[in-house]
Amino acid sequence: MKQRVSVLLREKFGREVVLEKPKDRSFGHFATPIAFSLAKELRKSPMIIAEELASSFNESEIFSSVESVKGYLNFRLSEDFLSEYSTWALDNPSNFGKQDKKSKILLEFVSANPTGPLHIGHARGAVYGDTLYRLAKHLGYDITAEYYVNDAGNQIDLLGLSIQLYGRENILKEKVDYPESYYRGDYLEALAKGAVDKFGIKILSDENRQKELALWAKDGVMEIVVDSLANLNIHFDTFVNESSLYNDWDRVMQKMGDGIYKKEDKIWIASEAKGDDNDRVVVREDGRPTYLAGDIVYHNQKFERGYEHYINIWGADHHGYIPRVNAAVEYLGYDSNKLETLLSQMVSLLKDGEPYKMSKRAGNVILMSDIVDEIGSDALRFIFASKKSDTALEFDLAEFKKQDSSNPIFYIQYAHARIQTILSKSNFSKEDILKSTLKGLDENADTLLFDALLLPEVIEDAFSSRQVQKLSDYLKALAASLHKFYYDCKIIGNDDEAKLLKLLLVVALSLKTGLSILGIEAKDSMSKEEE
């Protein structure tokens, strides 16, 4: 709706027009302060300009009224427009809220080290990234979801050592002295046993084969990671292995030109000149590349693939890493403004008001898979999509297991199921309901209809602002409006029953579409226990 109104006003006034939604709905559906921006140009007061502009809309088919209020132009959409738009949406449910943006975007997220299962902190970035991906897809962007597999460096060597230590203690029954840093968790059992089956028992004792063991094991860990993500309804289009990139390092280093230099037998990037706190080492004295070197080659590869925009979603602890990567992008000859890095903050987890106890079997971390098993993927996805990703999040598992209105995902799911229940009690056929008009609605019904038809602009705003919680907030508000309308208005047996049922179909469409973008399936029924 907003897009349609914006296009009409842009054509009429020959300029972009700011559209707002009045807090008091009695003023109309939309408002614009354009008269204030025209005041200096026309040398008239905004109130006079607004009155003149309002009178020029007498023949509009989209608006039932256009009024001047204290210099603002207030627009009320016509019943014909709202009814026709609703009918189109119900006839074309898969296209509701869709656009044709076309721009190519590469979105990289999660990218956790392939050394163990995903923990609850990874889940937040995963849900945030996947929701952005779904929003972009709905808007027509040509977007690719990519996972960067960090399969090079010390963390991979440590994986091989950890498997050997686990196997020596639990399979060979040796006494083992564990170093301060190593990986732990039940997943090591399957890897150790699998290694014995693959390579023989000696693989557990041969320190010279730790690297070989690690490179084999990281594929098994990635299978665990991919399965865990799939259980959260998250899937990737492409995977890029860090280990595959270093053959290109010499070429990329030459491409960096004056952006790199040698000092103290190390190779540095001159990142301070591009806004970083200091220059950074990219190759150590012994010739081993740092983590930053891999990222430089990876981002060069990204840009060489020719996307129009690049988005990284990183943990908040990587905040200081942003300037050095941007510096590398600039030295590689690309526009760092095309690279956008979004941060995902840490998560604090409670259970019945107390800190969630970490599991020794999980290696003293809270596994994402454990929480999905406990509250379900729908609840976990909604939790992480309901607050800005760059702010701290604390939530109590018990709250999201409740089957009442205090649980927001239950509240929204129940709104959709309630509509299906009401429809099942009507003697009107679906065809008869769809044929009815949505003209002549009372104020409460008109408000509910307008709110339901706002979904397309919420989708666009949530993506453009990178604030996916705007969609969650909208769905909660729409569910609340639906429940209130249900209690305030008799629907079955009403003289306008078919009309009101069509209104509910529009609400259900917005709830179902919005939930789908959040990676959540709308429920058509709820058990008696849930009700």
Side-chain angles (χ1 to χ4, degrees):
M1 292 183 298
K2 186 176 182 180
Q3 187 179 35
R4 179 85 177 270
V5 173
S6 294
V7 169
L8 184 149
L9 296 181
R10 183 169 63 246
E11 291 175 351
K12 184 176 181 66
F13 299 133
R15 66 185 70 201
E16 292 295 330
V17 177
V18 175
L19 273 184
E20 303 169 356
K21 290 195 294 290
K23 292 182 180 179
D24 185 345
R25 188 61 59 79
S26 66
F27 285 137
H29 296 117
F30 294 108
T32 178
I34 188 171
F36 292 91
S37 60
L38 290 173
K40 186 175 181 180
E41 178 183 331
L42 300 179
R43 297 183 179 181
K44 295 181 182 178
S45 75
M47 286 181 284
I48 292 175
I49 295 171
E51 289 172 2
E52 292 175 350
L53 293 177
S55 64
S56 69
F57 283 92
N58 290 336
E59 303 300 320
S60 173
E61 295 180 357
I62 292 182
F63 307 120
S64 61
S65 67
V66 181
E67 298 177 341
S68 166
V69 179
K70 296 181 179 179
Y72 280 81
L73 272 183
N74 289 355
F75 304 92
R76 181 171 294 280
L77 297 169
S78 69
E79 288 184 332
D80 284 340
F81 174 76
L82 291 172
S83 182
E84 289 171 8
Y85 184 37
S86 299
T87 298
W88 174 87
L90 293 174
D91 288 342
N92 301 273
S94 61
N95 290 322
F96 183 47
K98 287 194 173 178
Q99 295 187 39
D100 192 18
K101 296 287 189 180
K102 292 183 178 178
S103 177
K104 290 184 65 178
I105 299 173
L106 180 61
L107 172 64
E108 182 227 325
F109 60 106
V110 184
S111 297
N113 291 339
T115 53
L118 298 178
H119 58 64
I120 195 65
H122 295 134
R124 190 173 192 189
V127 171
Y128 178 49
D130 187 62
T131 307
L132 271 184
Y133 176 80
R134 290 166 178 270
L135 286 164
K137 278 282 190 183
H138 202 82
L139 292 169
Y141 288 98
D142 181 2
I143 186 167
T144 298
E146 185 159 283
Y147 192 118
Y148 180 50
V149 183
N150 303 116
D151 61 344
N154 293 333
Q155 77 275 7
I156 293 297
D157 296 336
L158 188 57
L159 176 61
L161 170 62
S162 300
I163 294 171
Q164 284 189 333
L165 292 172
Y166 182 94
R168 286 168 54 197
E169 181 178 54
N170 295 280
I171 297 176
L172 300 180
K173 304 302 180 182
E174 297 178 4
K175 183 176 175 58
V176 173
D177 292 324
Y178 282 95
E180 185 174 336
S181 295
Y182 69 99
Y183 301 122
R184 64 204 80 181
D186 279 0
Y187 74 101
L188 291 174
E189 178 181 0
L191 292 174
K193 289 180 177 178
V196 171
D197 292 340
K198 173 77 174 177
F199 302 104
I201 197 73
K202 291 182 179 179
I203 191 74
L204 299 178
S205 304
D206 190 344
E207 294 183 4
N208 294 324
R209 300 183 69 185
Q210 283 179 5
K211 186 77 170 183
E212 176 188 4
L213 177 59
L215 292 176
W216 167 82
K218 60 99 175 174
D219 291 333
V221 173
M222 280 305 299
E223 289 181 12
I224 297 172
V225 168
V226 170
D227 286 346
S228 295
L229 289 168
N231 289 335
L232 202 52
N233 203 9
I234 296 173
H235 306 273
F236 284 84
D237 299 311
T238 55
F239 293 82
V240 173
N241 290 337
E242 179 187 357
S243 59
S244 69
L245 300 175
Y246 288 106
N247 289 337
D248 202 27
W249 172 242
D250 289 340
R251 181 181 73 88
V252 173
M253 192 162 52
Q254 287 184 339
K255 196 173 178 180
M256 294 273 286
D258 294 337
I260 59 170
Y261 61 92
K262 192 168 185 178
K263 186 180 77 170
E264 300 171 350
D265 294 325
K266 304 173 186 175
I267 296 177
W268 302 68
I269 178 175
S271 53
E272 185 176 8
K274 297 287 188 179
D276 195 6
D277 294 336
N278 302 288
D279 290 352
R280 307 289 174 174
V281 176
V282 290
V283 180
R284 303 176 180 92
E285 302 100 315
D286 59 6
R288 288 181 301 123
T290 63
Y291 185 82
L292 178 57
D295 255 342
I296 291 172
V297 182
Y298 177 42
H299 280 82
N300 179 70
Q301 188 218 63
K302 281 184 176 183
F303 275 82
E304 286 187 340
R305 281 187 265 166
Y307 289 85
E308 293 166 66
H309 195 66
Y310 305 83
I311 302 175
N312 296 333
I313 297 178
W314 292 346
D317 56 333
H318 284 65
H319 179 269
Y321 208 75
I322 298 173
R324 63 196 77 167
V325 171
N326 285 343
V329 169
E330 291 287 341
Y331 284 126
L332 288 167
Y334 302 113
D335 181 2
S336 63
N337 291 318
K338 291 185 176 182
L339 176 63
E340 179 182 3
T341 300
L342 306 170
L343 299 177
S344 176
Q345 273 286 0
M346 295 299 291
V347 178
S348 298
L349 192 60
L350 304 175
K351 189 171 184 179
D352 297 316
E354 299 294 327
Y356 189 90
K357 291 184 179 179
M358 296 185 183
S359 167
K360 288 185 178 180
R361 71 165 187 84
N364 290 325
V365 297
I366 301 172
L367 295 184
M368 183 181 86
S369 57
D370 285 349
I371 307 306
V372 172
D373 289 343
E374 185 154 355
I375 64 174
S377 63
D378 286 355
L380 187 60
R381 287 195 67 119
F382 192 85
I383 291 166
F384 289 144
S386 62
K387 193 169 184 178
K388 287 183 67 175
S389 69
D390 60 355
T391 58
L393 174 62
E394 179 180 87
F395 71 94
D396 193 320
L397 286 182
E399 295 300 312
F400 287 86
K401 297 175 76 172
K402 292 180 179 178
Q403 301 297 303
D404 58 38
S405 60
S406 67
N407 178 350
I409 187 59
F410 174 90
Y411 192 59
I412 297 168
Q413 292 279 28
Y414 189 61
H416 187 270
R418 168 166 272 164
I419 292 171
Q420 308 311 312
T421 300
I422 296 169
L423 288 165
S424 70
K425 293 178 179 179
S426 175
N427 291 323
F428 283 94
S429 67
K430 183 80 173 287
E431 291 73 17
D432 288 337
I433 294 171
L434 292 174
K435 287 177 184 175
S436 62
T437 176
L438 287 175
K439 298 178 184 178
L441 295 174
D442 64 23
E443 185 176 350
N444 289 335
D446 175 79
T447 297
L448 180 59
L449 177 63
F450 180 73
D451 288 344
L453 293 173
L454 284 175
L455 177 67
E457 71 175 76
V458 173
I459 293 171
E460 183 164 25
D461 185 26
F463 179 74
S464 62
S465 66
R466 309 297 192 250
Q467 296 186 40
V468 302
Q469 81 281 356
K470 290 184 176 182
L471 178 55
S472 301
D473 291 343
Y474 166 80
L475 293 175
K476 284 189 287 187
L478 183 59
S481 297
L482 181 279
H483 291 309
K484 183 178 186 304
F485 186 78
Y486 170 79
Y487 288 117
D488 290 347
C489 177
K490 176 185 177 182
I491 298 171
I492 302 299
N494 191 301
D495 291 342
D496 289 329
E497 180 179 328
K499 182 189 300 185
L500 295 177
L501 291 175
K502 185 172 183 178
L503 164 60
L504 295 191
L505 283 175
V506 178
V507 176
L509 174 60
S510 288
L511 291 172
K512 185 174 184 177
T513 304
L515 286 171
S516 176
I517 292 172
L518 292 178
I520 300 170
E521 186 175 356
K523 288 188 178 181
D524 289 339
S525 63
M526 308 282 267
S527 70
K528 291 183 179 179
E529 180 184 356
E530 289 173 330
E531 293 182 33

